Amino acid sequence: MKLLRVGQKGKEKPAILDKDGKFRDISSQIKDLNPDHLNFETISKLKKIDLTSLPELSSDERIGSCVAKPGKFVAIGLNFSDHAAESNLPVPSEPIMFMKATSSINGPNDNIEILPDSKKLDWEVELGIVIGKDAKHINQSESQDHILGYCLVNDVSEREWQIEK
C-alpha cells in the first residue's frame, strides 16, 4: 500500500496510489496522514476499500510530506561504516541518536531552504521508519510490531555547523 499526501503546502489531501498508478482521494476515509489518524486500524480499514470507487486526483498535483505533523523525527547518525570513514570518525559502538526539527520536513519535490551562510551543505538518502503506535520502553523483540511503514528521506545537513562549530 502506497500512501501519500497531495495538494498545496498546508492543504494536502491524503491519497493512495492504486494498482494503475493513479492517485485516489482517501479523505473520506481518513482526515489526514498524521499521528492522530495514521495507525494500524486505519491501514486495515483502507485495505478493505475498492480503490476504484474513490475519486481520482490529478497526478500533476504537488506531493507533500508523507506524514503530516509528526510528533518526533528521530535520526540515527553514522549508521554505516563508510559514513564514519568519510567523516574521519570511528564507527560508534552504540547508535548516535539525535532529533531533527519537524519544521524541516518537505515534500519530495519541494525546494530546500539553504541559509545564506551555508558552506558545506550535504545530503544523504535515508530510510524513514513510520511508527504506528506508542513505543515507550519496549523490548527489541517487540520493535517490529510498532513499524507502520517506510518512506524515503532526503536528509540535508550543514556539515560546517554540525562538525566544525
Side-chain angles (χ1 to χ4, degrees):
M1 178 179 304
K2 295 180 181 178
L3 301 174
L4 62 155
R5 299 171 62 252
V6 296
Q8 295 176 355
K9 195 166 193 166
K11 297 179 181 178
E12 296 93 345
K13 285 184 178 183
I16 193 166
L17 195 64
D18 72 12
K19 64 179 174 56
D20 296 321
K22 295 179 181 177
F23 295 175
R24 298 288 180 165
D25 183 349
I26 57 172
S27 62
S28 63
Q29 307 298 314
I30 180 173
K31 184 175 179 178
D32 203 352
L33 302 176
N34 63 31
D36 293 333
H37 301 98
L38 187 56
N39 52 49
F40 289 97
E41 182 180 316
T42 300
I43 296 298
S44 293
K45 180 180 170 184
L46 292 173
K47 285 180 180 179
K48 297 174 186 169
I49 296 171
D50 172 14
L51 299 182
T52 61
S53 70
L54 298 173
E56 186 177 339
L57 297 169
S58 170
S59 61
D60 293 333
E61 292 235 33
R62 171 190 166 271
I63 299 174
S65 63
C66 58
V67 178
K69 300 179 182 173
K72 294 180 185 73
F73 189 156
V74 181
I76 309 294
L78 297 178
N79 53 343
F80 59 98
S81 59
D82 287 354
H83 190 317
E86 74 182 14
S87 303
N88 290 322
L89 295 169
V91 176
S93 60
E94 296 284 328
I96 297 173
M97 298 179 69
F98 59 97
M99 305 293 282
K100 301 272 291 187
T102 57
S103 60
S104 70
I105 298 172
N106 278 332
N109 300 309
D110 291 345
N111 291 331
I112 296 169
E113 183 178 348
I114 301 173
L115 298 175
D117 295 336
S118 178
K119 294 179 183 157
K120 295 183 179 177
L121 198 67
D122 194 14
W123 61 272
E124 301 170 275
V125 176
E126 302 282 0
L127 175 66
I129 300 173
V130 179
I131 305 299
K133 59 183 174 180
D134 286 345
K136 294 181 182 181
H137 311 291
I138 61 170
N139 293 322
Q140 183 176 347
S141 62
E142 300 172 279
S143 61
Q144 295 289 319
D145 298 335
H146 291 73
I147 297 174
L148 185 69
Y150 301 92
C151 62
L152 290 177
V153 175
N154 181 15
D155 181 13
V156 179
S157 301
E158 170 46 59
R159 298 296 186 205
E160 180 192 36
W161 300 349
Q162 186 181 48
I163 297 170
E164 299 171 21
K165 293 189 177 191

